[in-house]
Structures are given as C-alpha cells and as structure tokens.
C-alpha cells in the first residue's frame, strides 16, 4: 500500500534521526502550517538536543545534511531555534497524485487489525416520534459507522430501539383504562389476538406524554403502570401482544423518517431483545457477588471513591447501576448491560460506540463499569460518543416558535421546502426537469443539515440557522455539492471533446497545493477515526474543495494550451472529484450529477 507524504517523509527523517543516534520518533513530520515553512515541518531537533545536551540547530543541521540528497526532497531549511522546513520535489508530487488517482480508495489506508465494531446510534423510542434531539445521534452515528467501515473494521450499526421499560407500562395502563374491553386485558382470553393494531402512532404519541406527566403526580396510576411493566416483562400474553403492536406501528414510522435522512441500520434490535438474557445475567452477577440490595432494589456499585453530595453528605463518584427495581423490573441500565453481553456473545463485538447525547454520560459510565466488573466487555471496549445540542438562536436547545420540540418529520419537511426556495432564488438547476429538481433539492437540504452538524466538533453545541446552512457560499453542504457538480461538468465537457486524463506533471503552486490537499485525506481519516470526530473529515473535504477552486481559477483545464498540461490537470480533477465524493459519502451526503 502506498504511503501518504507525511508517512513517507517521516520514515526518511526517522532514519536520519536514528543515524544521528537519536530516537526514530523524533523524525515525525507534519504538513507545514504556512507555505514559507516549506511543505512539511519537523520539530524533532529540539527534543533531540535536550536528550544529547547539544545545540538544537547543530542537530537540525546534521539531520538536514543527512536527508538533503533524498530523491523526494528538494531542499531543507533550518528556521528559528532548530525547526526543519522541508520542501518536496515536483516529481514526488507527480508520483503521489498518480497513486491517489489510481487508488480506488483515493489514497486512504486500511486498518491493520480490523475489529468487530458495533455502533449504537439514533436510539429511537416506541410511541415517541423523533425530534431534533435525535438528529445529532443519527447523523454523527451514521457517519462514524461509515468511517469505521471504510477504515476496514467489521461494523454493524444498531438502532437500539427503546421498546422496553416503564414507558411500555404507561401505554398499557392508559389503554386498559381507555379501552378496557380489548382482549389484551382479559386474562382469561385464549383466542388469537387481532392482527390489526388497536392504536395508531398518533394515538401513542398522544397517550405517552400525558401518561408520563400523570405518573409523576398520581401515585396509584404510577403503581398501575409499574405493575404493567413488570407483567409485560414476565410475559403476560395479552400485554406482549399489545406491545408488539406498539413496536410495529412505531418502527414503521421511524423507518420512513430514517429513510428520508438516508440512514439504514444493519440491526434493528431493541432493548427487549436483551430481555431473554436477563435472568441468567442476574444469576451470573449474583454468583460474582456483584448484586447488592439497596433500598429494596438490587444494584451494582461501580464507584471508586465517595465525593461530597449536595445535601452535605457523601455520594459515590459514579452512581450504582440499578439492575432490578423494587418491583422486580428490568431498567434502562439492565437492558443496556444485557445488550453488551448479547453483542459479545452473538456478534463477538470488540468495540461498541454509543452515539448518544452527552447528558447520558453518567448512565453509560455506570453501565460500562458494571460490564467491566462482570467480565463482559472491558471498560476500554465501550465508548460513549457524546455530543452537544443543536440550539436555537437563544442558545437553548432548539424549540419551535410555539416553544414545543420540533418533530424530525417536520424538520425534514421544512428543510426540503427551504432548499427548493434556495434553488429558485439562486437560479440553480433552473432548466432541469421537475423530478430531478426535486431530487436535487432533497440532496441540497440533506447536505445542508448534515454538513452543518458534522463540521463542528461533536462536543460543541451549535445554532440551528437553516438560511446559513443552505447557503451556496461558505463552509456549507450546498457549497460542497456545487464544487463536486462543477468538476462533473468539466469532466462531461472533456468527454464530449474526447479529452482523456493523462500523466500528472505538477508545476504551478496551486497544483502543488491541490496535491498536498489530496494527500491530506489519509491524515484526516485517521484523525477522524481515532478521535471519533467526523468534523476532521468535514474540514478536509472543505479544504480540498477550496484547493481545487484556487487551482481551477489559476490553472485552466480544458483551456490549457498544451495537450499534456490539459491531460495532467484533468487527471487532478478526476482524483479530486473522487476524493470529494468519497469524503462526503462518509459524512452521509449524496452528490447529484448536475444542478
Ligand atoms: N432510547 C434512548 C433515549 O432516547 C437512547 C438509547 C441509546 N443507546 C443505548 N444503548 N442506551 O434516550
């Protein structure tokens, strides 16, 4: 596998540091931050000088002398206290650009030891339509899934459907009051339950919030719902049959919404799928001496110290994991722990990424520690990939103008409408057929929404500003689609004129800059992968589009007067498009053919 320039050059410098009697790691280079600093920089001489008790410039001079005649290096300058500024020869760039062009992965490497990875993301729930809060979990999780898969890991994405627990008891108990004659509530019923659901999604969405509110104040009702939850879990037939309707009705609607976002799951397992493992898991936890009685419930203590509590007393630094409630029910953490066991046993999972709102970090810390203690998956195999919120202009989590939570369905609708308006306003795709325009508006809208989210480090919250997201200028999804489409138009024109991409010969500074940008793909992927941070890839895609744009402004492609130059530049355009499309695909963004 061909190496990117950072790696190639680091290997050359490392060798030189070794020859000089210094650790090879000091030879690590990084792309230069400014063109005056060369193409790459190496700061190892400073650390080396400390080690040998020498002057850093002396070491830098020695290293420079050792590498100066290397076939890919044109010159090495020593700056400041001993920085090495390295300049590469044009032919080294010819070679690298040709490799990237020829490589179906656009110059990206593959992990040496692929792992079995599960990405747990989106986390939709029965009876609750998705709202903007689920958007980030979906967009970020989907991108991480694509990224890990592209790096070569064996990845499964799982929706981890919220279909168990107290919410189910709330729905069942409300329905038992509203429609007591349904056969599901008759314990003596022995026939076949109806195949048609007695409730629609709209019913569930109406029932759930009011039931949840009522349970907070009405103790009898709360106990009724708790009992219903416990009975459902031990397998009361009518409740199971009714529950199955809730699940089906919700899942159908949710899948449609994920479809609109272009998101598909490999597994659509629910919390309930972990339920059959729970009895044995509890026995196992008992045997291991991990389950402790605590105020009528059974918990696993996972803290390592006590810290001051608000009430003046002390509390564990990490809360215990509640495994069995005082009613004997499985809780959110119980299904999460059993799901870890399931993922280990059924899928041999070696790493699980939980793409869930930052606010659940304490929950996951408890679950992960419990898993580690029980010997299921180790703490370092479980990661909570938290993220900030999407805020309104007031800096608080986004709400509709009426102050309610915006449903995802309505958001998508709004994005599509605005994208269409934007196309009209900018005169984009004006002369294309109606159905193609609709498709383009959809791509533009999704690109706007996803790129706006993914370009921020996930931990940071950001402000929802659809006008800005949809702009064809600036660091936006639509700008990037436009950049790709522009290259596609050039390639189509070249094909019409029967001009083919040829050998790459780099000369102009903007051509050099473009090759360095292309070469940065691997570094960006590696960074995004290691930090679980798609924004690093988003930055790369944006930088690459910018590098192409200044290349194109300064280096005419089809207008070049020399056929060889034309073919070389065309090859650069092909390589750029391929990498841009790949990068966007990994962010979950589709590119239209034209617009
Ligand atoms: N359904 C949960 C919620 O809405 C998110 C699920 C996240 N995944 C998990 N394994 N707990 O909060």
């Amino acid at each position: 596998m061909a190496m990117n320039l950072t790696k190639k050059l680091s290997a050359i410098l490392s060798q030189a540091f070794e020859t000089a009697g210094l650790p090879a790691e000091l030879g690590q280079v990084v792309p230069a931050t400014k063109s005056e600093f060369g193409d790459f920089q190496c700061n190892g001489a400073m650390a080396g000088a400390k080690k040998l008790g020498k002057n850093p410039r002396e070491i830098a001079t020695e290293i420079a002398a050792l590498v100066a005649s290397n076939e890919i290096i044109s010159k090495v300058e020593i700056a400041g206290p001993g920085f090495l500024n390295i300049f590469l020869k044009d032919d080294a760039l010819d070679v690298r650009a040709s490799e990237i062009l020829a490589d179906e992965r656009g110059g990206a490497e593959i992990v040496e030891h692929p792992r079995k990875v599960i990405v747990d993301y989106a986390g939709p729930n029965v009876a609750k339509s998705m709202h903007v809060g689920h958007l980030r979990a979906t967009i970020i999780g989907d991108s991480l899934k694509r990224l890990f898969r592209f790096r070569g890991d064996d990845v499964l994405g799982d929706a981890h459907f919220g279909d168990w627990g107290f919410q189910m008891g709330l729905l069942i108990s409300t329905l038992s009051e509203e429609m007591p004659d349904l056969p599901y509530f008759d314990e003596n019923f022995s026939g076949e339950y109806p195949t048609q659901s007695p409730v629609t999604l709209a019913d569930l969405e109406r029932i759930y919030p009011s039931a949840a509110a009522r349970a907070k104040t009405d103790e009898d009702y709360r106990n009724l719902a708790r009992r219903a939850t416990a009975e459902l879990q031990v397998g009361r037939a009518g409740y199971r049959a009714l529950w199955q309707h809730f699940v089906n009705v919700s899942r159908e609607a949710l899948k449609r919404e994920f479809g609109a976002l272009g998101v598909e799951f490999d597994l659509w397992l629910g919390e309930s799928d972990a339920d059959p493992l729970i009895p044995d898991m509890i026995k196992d936890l008992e045997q291991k001496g991990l389950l402790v009685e605590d105020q009528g419930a059974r918990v696993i203590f996972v803290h390592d110290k006590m810290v001051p509590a608000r009430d003046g007393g002390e509390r564990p630094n990490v809360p215990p994991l509640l495994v069995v409630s005082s009613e004997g029910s499985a809780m959110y953490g119980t299904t999460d722990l059993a799901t870890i066991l399931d993922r280990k046993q059924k899928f041999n999972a070696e790493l699980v990424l939980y793409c869930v709102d930052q606010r659940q970090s304490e929950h996951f810390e408890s679950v992960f520690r419990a898993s580690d203690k029980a010997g299921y998956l180790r703490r370092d195999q479980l990661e909570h990939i938290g993220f900030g919120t999407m805020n309104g202009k007031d800096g608080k989590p986004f709400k509709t103008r009426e102050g309610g939570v915006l449903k995802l369905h309505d958001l998508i609708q709004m994005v599509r409408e605005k994208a269409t308006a934007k196309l009209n306003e900018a005169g984009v795709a004006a002369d294309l057929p109606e159905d193609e325009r609709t498709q383009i508006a959809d791509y533009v809208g999704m690109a706007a929404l996803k790129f706006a989210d993914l370009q921020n480090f996930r931990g940071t919250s950001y402000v929802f500003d659809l006008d800005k997201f949809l702009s064809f200028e600036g660091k936006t999804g639509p700008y990037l689609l436009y950049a790709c489409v522009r290259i596609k138009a050039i390639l189509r024109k070249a094909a019409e004129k029967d001009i083919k991409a040829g050998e790459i010969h780099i000369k102009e500074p903007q051509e050099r800059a473009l090759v360095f940008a292309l070469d940065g793909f691997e570094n960006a992927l590696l960074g995004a992968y290691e930090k679980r941070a798609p924004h690093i890839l988003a930055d790369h895609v944006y930088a690459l589009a910018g590098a192409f744009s200044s290349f194109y402004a300064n280096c005419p492609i089809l207008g070049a007067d020399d056929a060889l130059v034309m073919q070389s530049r065309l090859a650069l355009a092909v390589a750029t498009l391929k990498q841009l499309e790949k990068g966007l695909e990994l962010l979950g963004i589709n590119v239209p053919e034209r617009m």
Side-chain angles (χ1 to χ4, degrees):
M1 155 104 31
M3 280 187 260
N4 74 344
L5 293 170
T6 304
K7 256 199 186 170
K8 225 180 265 179
L9 204 53
S10 295
I12 294 166
L13 271 279
S14 295
Q15 178 92 64
F17 274 90
E18 270 193 326
T19 309
L22 283 164
E25 310 87 79
L26 297 182
Q28 181 66 45
V29 305
V30 290
T33 45
K34 282 191 187 150
S35 57
E36 306 94 273
F37 300 158
D39 300 321
F40 288 88
Q41 297 167 243
C42 172
N43 306 337
M46 264 73 73
K50 218 174 257 165
K51 213 166 186 115
L52 297 185
K54 275 195 190 169
N55 175 337
R57 281 194 77 97
E58 220 173 283
I59 307 245
T61 311
E62 190 182 344
I63 301 295
L66 281 168
V67 301
S69 59
N70 186 282
E71 55 171 6
I72 71 167
I73 295 175
S74 67
K75 72 175 172 187
V76 182
E77 284 175 359
I78 299 163
F83 296 114
L84 288 156
N85 294 344
I86 305 149
F87 297 78
L88 297 190
K89 286 186 185 156
D90 284 344
D91 350 338
L93 303 196
D94 296 350
V95 172
R96 182 59 188 149
S98 315
E99 278 170 10
I100 293 172
L101 176 67
D103 181 8
E104 57 175 36
R105 300 174 51 80
E109 293 182 19
I110 296 192
V111 287
E112 216 170 308
H113 306 288
R115 286 168 299 182
K116 185 89 197 185
V117 181
I118 296 201
V119 183
D120 176 317
Y121 71 111
N125 299 306
V126 160
K128 296 190 223 172
S129 59
M130 288 198 289
H131 54 79
V132 293
H134 291 97
L135 190 67
R136 298 209 72 191
T138 306
I139 293 178
I140 298 169
D142 190 51
S143 174
L144 287 176
K145 182 182 86 176
R146 291 163 185 258
L147 185 62
F148 271 68
R149 191 167 283 162
F150 184 61
R151 289 305 277 173
D153 285 318
D154 186 358
V155 188
L156 290 172
D158 181 13
H160 198 69
F161 195 25
D163 64 356
W164 215 227
F166 188 55
Q167 308 99 289
M168 305 305 124
L170 287 173
L171 294 171
I172 293 171
S173 44
T174 302
L175 277 181
S176 72
E177 289 178 352
E178 285 190 6
M179 309 184 203
D181 299 336
L182 289 177
Y184 307 98
F185 303 116
D186 177 0
E187 283 193 80
N188 303 315
F189 183 79
S190 57
E192 290 260 327
Y193 292 107
T195 50
Q196 185 73 25
S197 173
V199 285
T200 63
L201 184 64
D203 295 327
L204 294 178
E205 284 179 10
R206 172 183 56 79
I207 295 171
Y208 176 69
S210 63
R214 183 174 159 203
K216 286 209 177 102
T217 53
D218 180 343
E219 200 185 327
D220 290 343
Y221 176 71
R222 184 162 65 235
N223 288 332
L224 189 71
R226 282 197 179 146
R227 253 195 324 275
T229 310
E231 283 183 278
L232 168 73
Q233 293 184 350
V234 295
R236 181 166 158 175
Y239 287 6
R240 289 275 173 133
L242 185 56
W243 166 83
Q244 192 62 55
H245 288 304
F246 301 160
V247 167
N248 294 347
V249 162
S250 302
R251 191 172 40 206
E252 280 319 298
L254 289 164
K255 283 198 169 165
R256 263 199 305 281
E257 272 163 45
F258 286 121
L261 287 173
V263 171
E264 270 172 34
F265 297 92
D266 307 294
L267 301 172
W268 185 287
L269 293 174
E271 294 167 354
S272 65
D273 287 291
D275 191 67
L277 284 85
I278 292 178
D280 280 346
M281 180 180 85
I282 289 179
K283 266 188 226 135
D284 180 57
L285 296 171
E286 265 164 4
Q287 260 165 23
K288 290 177 175 155
L290 293 172
L291 275 190
V292 179
E293 297 289 331
D294 187 42
Q295 300 163 47
R298 308 183 78 193
V299 306
I300 302 178
F301 282 107
V302 292
H303 60 284
D304 35 49
K305 59 174 185 241
M306 298 300 283
V307 292
R310 281 231 192 102
D311 64 4
E314 284 195 315
R315 62 171 179 86
N317 65 333
V318 180
L321 186 76
L322 178 50
V323 181
V324 188
S325 78
S326 46
E327 284 81 24
S329 304
M331 310 301 287
Y332 185 43
T334 323
T335 46
D336 255 334
L337 189 59
T339 302
I340 292 177
L341 204 51
D342 197 32
R343 286 172 175 167
K344 176 176 164 161
Q345 291 171 349
K346 214 182 277 154
F347 305 108
N348 286 317
E350 297 171 83
L351 175 67
V352 188
L353 306 180
Y354 293 79
C355 205
V356 188
D357 193 314
Q358 219 139 260
R359 287 171 286 194
Q360 292 194 27
S361 64
E362 207 167 55
H363 162 76
F364 286 114
E365 189 57 37
S366 300
V367 174
F368 298 169
R369 287 182 178 214
S371 162
D372 192 293
K373 276 192 140 176
Y376 301 162
L377 286 180
R378 291 189 314 271
R379 177 66 190 83
D380 66 306
Q381 295 180 297
L382 301 162
E383 287 179 35
H384 175 209
I385 312 295
F387 45 82
T389 49
M390 184 172 98
N391 293 336
K393 295 205 170 117
D394 59 358
K396 301 207 184 96
F398 189 82
K399 292 259 155 59
T400 59
R401 222 174 287 160
E402 293 72 37
V405 209
L406 182 62
K407 285 189 185 177
L408 195 59
H409 177 82
D410 298 334
L411 174 76
I412 294 170
Q413 197 52 35
M414 182 165 115
V415 169
R416 282 195 177 138
E417 277 163 23
K418 276 229 169 188
T420 309
K422 200 84 191 175
L423 290 185
N424 293 340
E425 183 191 307
V428 173
D431 41 10
L432 297 181
E434 193 54 37
D435 53 343
E436 196 176 340
R437 275 171 62 82
T438 310
Q439 171 78 274
I440 292 170
D442 189 39
Y443 283 173
V444 166
M446 284 307 125
L449 202 57
K450 291 185 180 182
F451 194 80
D453 191 301
L454 294 173
Q455 68 158 304
N456 303 289
F457 169 62
R458 58 182 162 76
T460 351
S461 298
Y462 66 98
V463 173
F464 182 73
D465 182 349
L466 202 45
D467 277 315
K468 190 171 115 196
F469 298 173
L470 277 167
S471 170
F472 280 99
E473 277 147 44
K475 196 171 175 183
T476 68
Y479 162 76
L480 293 168
L481 296 194
Y482 202 73
C484 290
V485 165
R486 194 160 67 150
I487 303 177
K488 289 188 183 197
I490 298 168
L491 300 187
R492 268 198 303 274
K493 206 177 237 173
E496 275 164 27
K497 295 188 175 176
D498 208 23
I499 302 168
K500 298 211 164 55
E503 255 177 58
I504 297 176
H505 295 289
I506 299 300
K507 238 173 54 214
E508 302 301 327
Q510 294 85 2
E511 292 178 325
R512 289 181 65 94
L514 180 58
V515 177
F516 287 124
L518 285 165
D519 185 57
F521 191 37
E522 167 60 22
N523 287 348
L525 288 167
L526 184 65
Y529 177 79
E530 286 186 337
K531 299 198 171 77
R532 288 76 162 114
H535 80 280
I536 300 176
L537 177 60
D539 280 345
H540 169 76
V541 175
Y542 180 65
L544 179 60
F548 185 83
S549 178
S550 45
F551 156 77
Y552 189 52
N554 290 284
C555 308
I557 302 179
L558 302 180
D561 31 11
D562 179 314
L564 290 180
V565 172
M566 199 186 288
Q567 288 163 15
S568 165
R569 290 181 181 166
L570 194 58
L572 287 176
V574 173
T576 304
L577 176 65
K578 201 158 70 176
Q579 215 187 67
L580 283 176
E581 282 198 292
K582 190 37 127 185
L584 288 171
E585 181 194 316
L586 297 178
L587 299 174
I589 296 173
N590 288 321
V591 180
E593 274 317 295
R594 50 181 190 174
M595 62 188 210

